[in-house]
Amino acid sequence: MDPNVEDRTPHCLLLPYPNQGHINPILQFAKRLSHTRRRIQITFILTKFLLKSTTAAAAAAEADISFRSISDGFDDGGRAHAKSFEEYTDRFELVGRETLTELLRELSDSGRPVDCVVYDPFIPWVLDVAKGFGLPAAAFFTQSCAVNSVYHQVYCGRLRPPLRENEVAVVAAELPPLKAEELPSFIEVHGSYPVVFEMIKSQFRNVEKADWIFVNTFYKLEEKIINSLSEFWPIKAIGPSIPSMCLDKRLQDDEDYGLSLFEPSLSVCLNWLDKHESKSVIYISFGSLVQLTIEQTQELSQALMILDKPFIWIVRKSEESKLPNNFPPENGLIVSWGPQLKVLGHDAIGCFITHCGWNSTLEALSLGVPMVAMPQWTDQNTNAKFVTDIWKVGVWAKKDCKGIVKSNVIIDCVEHVMEDGEEIRKNAIMWKEFAREAVDKGGSSDTNIEDFIITLKEKNEAK
Ligand code: UDP
């Protein structure tokens, strides 16, 4: 290639918060930028600990992405080695700022200067560092627009927890009225996880300095909210940010996220699923962070025993001891981590019992799988509200007054989704099609990504 042409190829640095649910969508976005005909050079940043302990190299080779690292101050063990979440957050900011500054200098000195930084607003100091270098920057929100809108109202002081008993909050005109249990857990249970809530609010502390605001959602899914937020933010929906082979299939080798913090039991799950009839299996996962109580684990186990339907349940190693003795029964498979996209995309799956993490929700929507929502904390309540009442692709298995979803409730919900819920299954297929359209050539998300690339190229050519 003509070296002068190569020189003008924009170089984008992307930096997610270091957990699975944040890395996945930002890495997918990087792949879309890198694979396009109007190519962008990509440097994807992980913490030093994650870079040495994951399969990043494989993802790099596949997608032509250069992986580099900065330090979060815990190079030998990551967040698990911090005494508290507060210590982790403070140290990450301190050491992260320094090491990101060094990296940006090094890239510039080595003739690969960065032209744009895409950062995760969970680490808002990245935007300050980028602006210190005079760089354009894009915030990449990994939650839904509805959830961003709620958190923003709290940040601005327009929604002040605690709510009064039975209060239905009219949070913003673009949102449906929300009961306490439908708001993020930090608002529902005022004072819970204060350090995490502070981090979530701090997403907005400098966001007005961002040149773009990307959200992992798509226009049709949150049209009214996107329109409303667009009045004061340069907001662009670019999702669902999941592998292309689950949606538009334009990136032929893009079948999986390609960077897993846990080892998935790929062939065990797929061989097992191959032996089951169409739409007969329940898939259960609570993502990478949720820890169910022993009581909740036992209620769910009992429900699965009584339902007597085949199931795959993701139970991380740290959660295994909560399962009853002699579990799973013969018709069940328990693995500590699975290839979720391949499982959800398998014809044998009939229903997804999910914590409604935003990635899992978007994945189920994109693959047309009806859901039983069992939200546990953070934004999951609000995602469950939209899954059940707005998009109508699932039912919500509600907690009792002690905060437990009883086995009979789980059984009713699963039976409804798998046996009676024709409307739900029809809606699931409809949203699957809308999701594909959004990222396919000329779709709303594809157009937003293309506009971003064109702007970066124009800026570079004007330099
Ligand atoms: N996931 C996976 N295998 C599993 C369980 C989860 O690959 O066995 C992936 C899932 O596809 C999703 C991510 O982990 O992309 C979890 O993100 P989510 O936002 O749903 O939940 P979180 O882990 O952040 O609570």
Side-chain angles (χ1 to χ4, degrees), residues 66-111:
S66 153
F67 279 80
R68 296 294 302 268
S69 62
I70 61 167
S71 176
D72 58 3
F74 297 91
D75 297 346
D76 293 326
R79 196 162 57 230
H81 278 205
K83 287 194 202 77
S84 64
F85 189 70
E86 191 169 17
E87 185 194 41
Y88 182 75
T89 307
D90 291 348
R91 196 149 169 73
F92 189 11
E93 172 157 1
L94 188 77
V95 184
R97 273 180 186 271
E98 262 171 42
T99 49
L100 177 61
T101 302
E102 280 162 20
L103 179 65
L104 285 168
R105 277 207 197 105
E106 184 211 306
L107 288 168
S108 177
D109 293 347
S110 64

Side-chain angles (χ1 to χ4, degrees), residues 23-42:
I23 293 169
N24 283 357
I26 299 183
L27 181 57
Q28 278 313 123
F29 182 63
K31 288 187 200 167
R32 291 251 172 210
L33 296 179
S34 143
H35 270 86
T36 172
R37 271 171 289 127
R38 303 189 187 87
R39 289 181 51 162
I40 301 283
Q41 295 182 65
I42 301 290

Side-chain angles (χ1 to χ4, degrees), residues 378-396:
T378 68
D379 58 344
Q380 295 155 17
N381 291 344
T382 313
N383 298 339
K385 163 76 178 173
F386 278 74
V387 162
T388 54
D389 285 358
I390 312 293
W391 306 316
K392 300 189 193 310
V393 289
V395 287
W396 189 335

Side-chain angles (χ1 to χ4, degrees), residues 20-21 24 257 285 287-288 314 337-338 340 355 357-360 363:
Q20 190 77 63
N24 283 357
Y257 290 110
S285 164
S288 58
I314 307 299
W337 195 250
Q340 179 155 306
H355 68 313
W358 184 235
N359 294 294
S360 294
E363 290 161 7

Side-chain angles (χ1 to χ4, degrees), residues 338-379:
Q340 179 155 306
L341 288 167
K342 293 210 161 69
V343 171
L344 287 174
H346 198 288
D347 181 55
I349 297 295
C351 154
F352 180 17
I353 301 185
T354 170
H355 68 313
C356 290
W358 184 235
N359 294 294
S360 294
T361 304
L362 271 182
E363 290 161 7
L365 278 163
S366 302
L367 290 158
V369 181
M371 290 173 252
V372 169
M374 275 184 64
Q376 301 296 311
W377 77 310
T378 68
D379 58 344

Side-chain angles (χ1 to χ4, degrees), residues 200-217:
I200 280 171
K201 285 187 277 181
S202 78
Q203 295 182 101
F204 306 102
R205 79 175 189 210
N206 54 0
V207 76
E208 73 288 344
K209 288 197 236 154
D211 302 87
W212 295 269
I213 294 185
F214 296 132
V215 187
N216 184 18
T217 186

